[in-house]
């Protein structure tokens, strides 16, 4: 009986931890454009995901508590990372802001726009449908390995991809037109060879 009481006590002590576990969405690149090698992970509370949308703005220039909805955010590029946590009260740098205008698709994909700035690095991306494109990424830490040195004349952007819930099935890659043409020519050649063999 003591063992059951002990197990029940352990289970009850873990409940607060379970209630803090959120729903994680991660960046999945679909092309090889700048900035290279970025990662983005967002964790939301379940109620926000169920609501279907989130309009979220947080400035970390004062001591206000962050609004509900977003639990954690991690953004990295080669050599540097931005960390934001509701539990820790915001950015590690204690400066910056986040602007999220997001919709949660029933298929597990996000759409909308994301802007984050921790006073040292920023990232702006928006979607057409569920495909996000990086419009601009910049940093006080030179983003050379990401293909975005300070000498770059135009904004660093172009990387495209999905922000999908963990476990969501990513769509099959759509072949490029040249690949489809080559495949079609191969089919025609194979049909011609078969017809020749039958004659």
């Amino acid at each position: 009986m003591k063992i059951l009481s002990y197990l029940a006590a352990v289970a009850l002590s873990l409940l607060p931890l379970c209630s803090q576990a959120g729903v994680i969405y991660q960046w999945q690149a679909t092309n090889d454009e700048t900035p290279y090698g970025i990662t983005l992970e967002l964790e939301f509370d379940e109620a926000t995901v169920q609501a279907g949308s989130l309009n979220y703005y947080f400035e970390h220039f004062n001591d206000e508590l962050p609004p509900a909805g977003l639990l954690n955010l991690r953004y990295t590029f080669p050599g540097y990372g931005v960390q934001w946590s509701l539990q820790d009260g915001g950015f590690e740098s204690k400066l910056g802001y986040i602007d999220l205008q997001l919709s949660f698709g029933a298929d597990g994909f996000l759409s909308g726009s994301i802007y984050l700035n921790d006073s040292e690095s920023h990232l702006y991306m928006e979607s057409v449908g569920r495909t996000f494109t990086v419009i601009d990424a910049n940093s006080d830490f030179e983003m050379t390995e990401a293909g975005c040195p300070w000498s770059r004349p135009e904004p660093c952007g172009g990387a495209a991809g999905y922000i999908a819930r963990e476990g969501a099935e990513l769509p099959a890659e759509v072949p490029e037109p040249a690949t489809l043409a080559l495949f079609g020519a191969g089919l025609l050649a194979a049909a011609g060879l078969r017809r020749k063999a039958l004659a």
Side-chain angles (χ1 to χ4, degrees):
M1 190 65 165
K2 286 184 179 182
I3 292 175
L4 289 176
S5 298
Y6 176 74
L7 290 174
V10 169
L12 286 173
S13 69
L14 292 175
L15 277 177
L17 295 175
C18 295
S19 66
Q20 288 300 313
V23 182
I24 296 173
Y25 286 75
Q26 295 177 324
W27 166 258
Q28 303 285 329
T30 57
N31 67 5
D32 190 25
E33 299 290 332
T34 58
Y36 308 122
I38 67 169
T39 67
L40 178 64
E41 182 179 281
L42 302 120
E43 183 180 2
F44 304 97
D45 61 46
E46 184 68 41
T48 298
V49 175
Q50 293 301 318
S53 66
L54 174 66
N55 296 324
Y56 185 96
Y57 186 81
F58 170 67
E59 285 188 49
H60 199 161
F61 298 104
N62 51 43
D63 293 325
E64 287 182 27
L65 287 174
L70 179 67
L71 300 178
N72 291 293
L73 180 148
R74 274 191 293 289
Y75 159 62
T76 68
F77 56 85
Y80 186 73
V82 174
Q83 174 75 35
W84 184 96
S85 169
L86 176 66
Q87 185 176 358
D88 296 334
F91 289 107
E92 285 180 319
S93 65
K94 303 302 180 195
L95 291 171
Y97 56 95
I98 296 175
D99 188 358
L100 306 176
Q101 306 296 317
L102 297 172
S103 294
F104 298 87
D107 57 0
F109 291 83
L110 287 180
S111 60
S113 66
I114 294 172
Y115 183 82
L116 64 101
N117 184 331
D118 76 339
S119 79
E120 295 174 328
S121 299
H122 73 258
L123 173 71
Y124 174 56
M125 56 181 14
E126 59 184 33
S127 75
V128 174
R130 60 186 183 180
T131 302
F132 278 86
T133 301
V134 175
I135 306 302
D136 186 33
N138 208 331
S139 180
D140 293 346
F141 302 91
E142 190 167 8
M143 299 175 69
T144 305
E145 289 182 52
C148 307
W150 287 329
S151 59
R152 183 183 171 108
E154 67 275 354
C156 179
Y162 302 109
I163 302 177
R165 185 174 180 158
E166 276 188 330
E169 186 174 333
L170 295 178
E173 289 295 318
V174 177
E176 296 199 18
T179 306
L180 286 174
L182 185 60
F183 180 68
L187 285 177
L188 288 173
L193 288 175
R194 184 163 190 251
R195 183 174 296 168
K196 199 175 202 183
L198 292 175

